[in-house]
Amino acid sequence: MRALRILLVVVVVLGGVCIAVDRAAVYFAESEAEGRVDISGSTVDSTDVSIKGFPFLTQVAGSTLDEVDIRLTGIETAAAGRRIRISEMNAELHDIALSGGFSSATAARATGTATISYEDLTHVADDGVVVEYGGNGKVKVTGTVDILGRTLSRSVTSTVTLVDGHTVRVHADKVPGEGIPGLEDLVRKKTDFEREVGALPNGLKLQRIEPTRDGLEISVTGSDIPLGG
């Protein structure tokens, strides 16, 4: 019995050591991966990488990882001469193949979401235009127009759509005072706009967009996403 107890203690200790080594390897790999996530032409405030699955070292031995979760905050890129910012993007990457002596990797597929705040959307709209949540999956756009020597403020309820997988389009459903000659065109020149969103890692594409209370929520999908090299 004494020998059995000693054996059990040894097994428990060795198991704990193996787990500690495995978790330390995960931490090191995550830190390395955070520095390798590259978005061409863009800046990122912070990158967080989380490698899923256990044990990690067994996955590495097979040169594959089951899942890697990435969280990026404060992504900024230039589009049509303006800086557009994605507040946050979360992506789940699956079936990651390691290569180049583990210096690079490619994810077979990915899903996730990206969020553009209304403050950031206002920043890339025309001067003097404010974009807010309008309820029921719409946005409220307010701007001023000059007509007949008077400055008028107009608010419209607008639909937001995704064009060609990379451009956000904001279009007023109806413009107040449409019967006044020239007013609709003046208002739409202020409230209707399109802005390209190019701040995404290679291989990821915008899929669907939906206005929420917290901002524009955009579904992201992709395949064959490079993670370094």
Side-chain angles (χ1 to χ4, degrees), residues 38-45 73-87 89 114 116 120 123-124 166-168 195-202 206 218:
D38 180 49
I39 307 178
S40 180
S42 304
T43 61
V44 180
D45 286 347
T73 59
I75 309 170
E76 279 198 23
T77 189
R82 291 175 180 261
R83 301 291 296 181
I84 189 166
R85 186 176 188 270
I86 296 177
S87 306
M89 187 182 75
I116 300 176
D120 289 324
H123 183 70
V124 298
H166 56 71
T167 300
V168 174
R195 294 293 182 266
E196 183 179 355
V197 180
L200 291 175
N202 292 332
L206 306 181
I218 308 172

Side-chain angles (χ1 to χ4, degrees), residues 84-88 114-124 131-133 212-218:
I84 189 166
R85 186 176 188 270
I86 296 177
S87 306
E88 180 177 311
T115 303
I116 300 176
S117 72
Y118 294 117
E119 180 181 357
D120 289 324
L121 192 60
T122 294
H123 183 70
V124 298
V131 185
E132 305 168 285
Y133 182 58
T212 69
R213 292 186 181 278
D214 297 326
L216 300 183
E217 186 173 290
I218 308 172

Side-chain angles (χ1 to χ4, degrees), residues 103-119:
S103 64
S104 63
T106 302
R109 55 191 176 86
T111 58
T113 58
T115 303
I116 300 176
S117 72
Y118 294 117
E119 180 181 357

Side-chain angles (χ1 to χ4, degrees), residues 2-193:
R2 183 172 180 273
L4 179 59
R5 286 196 297 270
I6 293 173
L7 178 60
L8 289 175
V9 169
V10 171
V11 169
V12 170
V13 171
L14 288 177
V17 170
C18 290
I19 292 173
V21 171
D22 191 84
R23 294 301 88 189
V26 168
Y27 179 79
F28 176 78
E30 289 173 343
S31 298
E32 286 291 306
E34 288 171 0
R36 292 180 177 274
V37 177
D38 180 49
I39 307 178
S40 180
S42 304
T43 61
V44 180
D45 286 347
S46 66
T47 302
D48 182 70
V49 175
S50 178
I51 299 175
K52 304 299 182 180
F54 179 83
F56 167 70
L57 292 176
T58 300
Q59 297 183 71
V60 171
S63 296
T64 60
L65 299 176
D66 296 334
E67 179 183 337
V68 174
D69 294 349
I70 297 178
R71 179 176 180 266
L72 304 172
T73 59
I75 309 170
E76 279 198 23
T77 189
R82 291 175 180 261
R83 301 291 296 181
I84 189 166
R85 186 176 188 270
I86 296 177
S87 306
E88 180 177 311
M89 187 182 75
N90 295 281
E92 295 181 359
L93 287 69
H94 299 272
D95 301 327
I96 300 97
L98 306 175
S99 59
F102 310 126
S103 64
S104 63
T106 302
R109 55 191 176 86
T111 58
T113 58
T115 303
I116 300 176
S117 72
Y118 294 117
E119 180 181 357
D120 289 324
L121 192 60
T122 294
H123 183 70
V124 298
D126 286 346
D127 293 340
V129 171
V130 176
V131 185
E132 305 168 285
Y133 182 58
N136 299 317
K138 304 281 187 175
V139 298
K140 177 184 175 183
V141 184
T142 303
T144 58
V145 295
D146 294 324
I147 184 170
L148 300 177
R150 297 179 60 190
T151 300
L152 305 177
S153 177
R154 287 290 183 267
S155 294
V156 297
T157 298
S158 301
T159 297
V160 181
T161 55
L162 196 60
V163 182
D164 298 330
H166 56 71
T167 300
V168 174
R169 173 182 289 169
V170 179
H171 184 78
D173 297 341
K174 186 178 181 181
V175 175
E178 288 180 339
I180 302 175
L183 180 58
E184 180 177 1
D185 288 342
L186 287 173
V187 173
R188 286 195 178 277
K189 283 181 179 178
K190 276 285 188 178
T191 61
D192 290 4
F193 61 93

